[in-house]
Amino acid sequence: MAVLLALTALAVSATPANGAAAAQSEWPRVVTDALGRAVVIPAAPRRIVAIFSSNVEMLAAIGAGPEIVAIEAWTRYPPEIVARAGRVGGRLGFSVEAIARMDADLVVMTPARQAAAGMVDPLGRIGVPALVLTHRRLDDILGNIRLLGRATGHDADGDAVAAAMAARIDHLRRCLSGRPPVRVYLETGSDDRGAAFTLRDDTYTGDILRAAGGVSVFAGRDRLGRVSGEAVWQADPDMILVAGTPAQAQALTTRPGWGGINAVARGDVAAVSRALLLIPGPRVVDGAWMLARLLHPAAFAAGGACAAAPQSVEGAGG
């Protein structure tokens, strides 16, 4: 799939070999964001506000973590950034005034929770570049990591992290080649009224499930939707995965009527990390390997085709 976001660099003649911020002579740079806006970045950013966990994780992975001065209240990773960074908003919205007080020279955000709609224009009026990213598919995540590398002057590290992620996914696909996909019901959430929710097929989570040798029993749905125990029973998955805690996975097995689902009766129910599956950042590749180990354990046994895993993404950048 072609990456949705394109980037044009102005006056860039070389990439720093050590992955550090580019020389001042290579600036300004112009990048095109997910809204199709040409965003001018006058100089290598030194005070970045990163809104939403995905953007914080991508910036940290490419070596721009030290430049992050503020985040939103619901970001949890990486812990060293969470511990020191300021806050510019949360569930109830975001504050352009707080960003201005941070003396920010770049804001990175996604459109969720009206962040882009409420902040792009005000930030433009006060002269703070705002870069809006969307992370719909796995290829978008890779492209956005490269884009952030160029937007922040961490060109080499952005390219290295994206290349390492792609290599690990390719390795996983190759070592699972020839194995029939495991039919999975992946529950992404539930509520106290008995509603359960599963993933959309055309998302980065759907992409990593397929890379891990799985396929959603509800593949083909065009939206994230409620599902019932009866629908899961009719779909008859090989395995049920719950994005959450072991206690949440155990609770699923006690729901009225769910005990009659074959996967529940067999005990083929497991908890999987929400952070590795539902936050579109570098760790989704770890999520793919986590899923693959659950779905195809024989491939990871001693002598199995996937027993030798390549380097983790966290070691790829500078």
Side-chain angles (χ1 to χ4, degrees):
M1 176 197 301
V3 174
L4 296 178
L5 304 179
L7 181 148
T8 304
L10 297 183
V12 177
S13 59
T15 297
N18 63 359
Q24 192 62 37
S25 62
E26 297 175 353
W27 301 81
R29 293 183 174 189
V30 177
V31 298
T32 303
D33 74 359
L35 302 182
R37 301 162 51 251
V39 180
V40 179
I41 304 175
R46 291 293 180 266
R47 297 185 62 80
I48 300 172
V49 172
I51 296 175
F52 301 125
S53 300
S54 56
N55 299 318
V56 175
E57 293 192 22
M58 288 190 291
L59 286 163
I62 65 173
E67 287 95 71
I68 296 175
V69 295
I71 58 178
E72 59 103 11
W74 291 89
T75 297
R76 297 289 182 266
Y77 185 89
E80 63 274 13
I81 293 176
V82 173
R84 64 165 177 76
R87 302 294 189 270
V88 293
R91 293 289 189 199
L92 299 180
F94 305 94
S95 171
V96 174
E97 291 79 8
I99 292 172
R101 289 195 297 270
M102 291 286 179
D103 196 25
D105 51 17
L106 178 65
V107 178
V108 181
M109 68 183 81
T110 56
R113 281 188 258 148
Q114 298 298 307
M119 290 198 296
V120 167
D121 289 343
L123 287 170
R125 287 195 291 271
I126 63 175
V128 178
L131 189 61
V132 181
L133 306 180
T134 56
H135 319 293
R136 294 185 178 93
R137 305 298 295 267
L138 179 58
D139 279 353
D140 297 337
I141 297 172
L142 301 181
N144 287 338
I145 286 171
R146 294 187 182 97
L147 187 150
L148 285 173
R150 286 153 180 76
T152 61
H154 293 268
D155 305 61
D157 286 336
D159 290 342
V161 169
M165 291 174 66
R168 291 187 71 207
I169 289 291
D170 288 344
H171 182 95
L172 188 59
R173 287 175 173 141
R174 287 195 304 272
C175 72
L176 294 175
S177 177
R179 294 177 180 271
V182 177
R183 298 176 66 256
V184 173
Y185 166 58
L186 174 56
E187 186 165 294
T188 57
S190 60
D191 62 29
D192 57 8
R193 295 183 298 276
F197 302 89
T198 192
L199 78 162
R200 289 177 297 168
D201 198 41
D202 57 345
T203 61
Y204 57 86
T205 305
D207 291 337
I208 64 175
L209 175 61
R210 285 185 290 274
V215 61
S216 171
V217 292
F218 296 113
R221 287 184 174 227
D222 62 356
R223 65 182 64 187
L224 185 71
R226 293 175 56 156
V227 294
S228 64
E230 181 181 2
V232 178
W233 176 79
Q234 290 175 343
D236 193 24
D238 301 321
M239 179 170 283
I240 293 176
L241 301 177
V242 178
T245 65
Q248 289 171 317
Q250 175 60 31
L252 177 146
T253 68
T254 65
R255 293 174 186 166
W258 285 66
I261 299 169
N262 287 327
V264 175
R266 293 192 306 266
D268 290 330
V269 179
V272 290
S273 168
R274 292 183 63 83
L276 300 187
L277 294 180
L278 304 183
I279 296 177
R283 293 190 292 166
V284 296
V285 177
D286 295 325
W289 281 79
M290 170 192 66
L291 290 176
R293 289 185 174 92
L294 286 170
L295 302 180
H296 299 280
F300 292 86
C306 299
Q311 179 187 24
S312 172
V313 170
E314 290 187 335

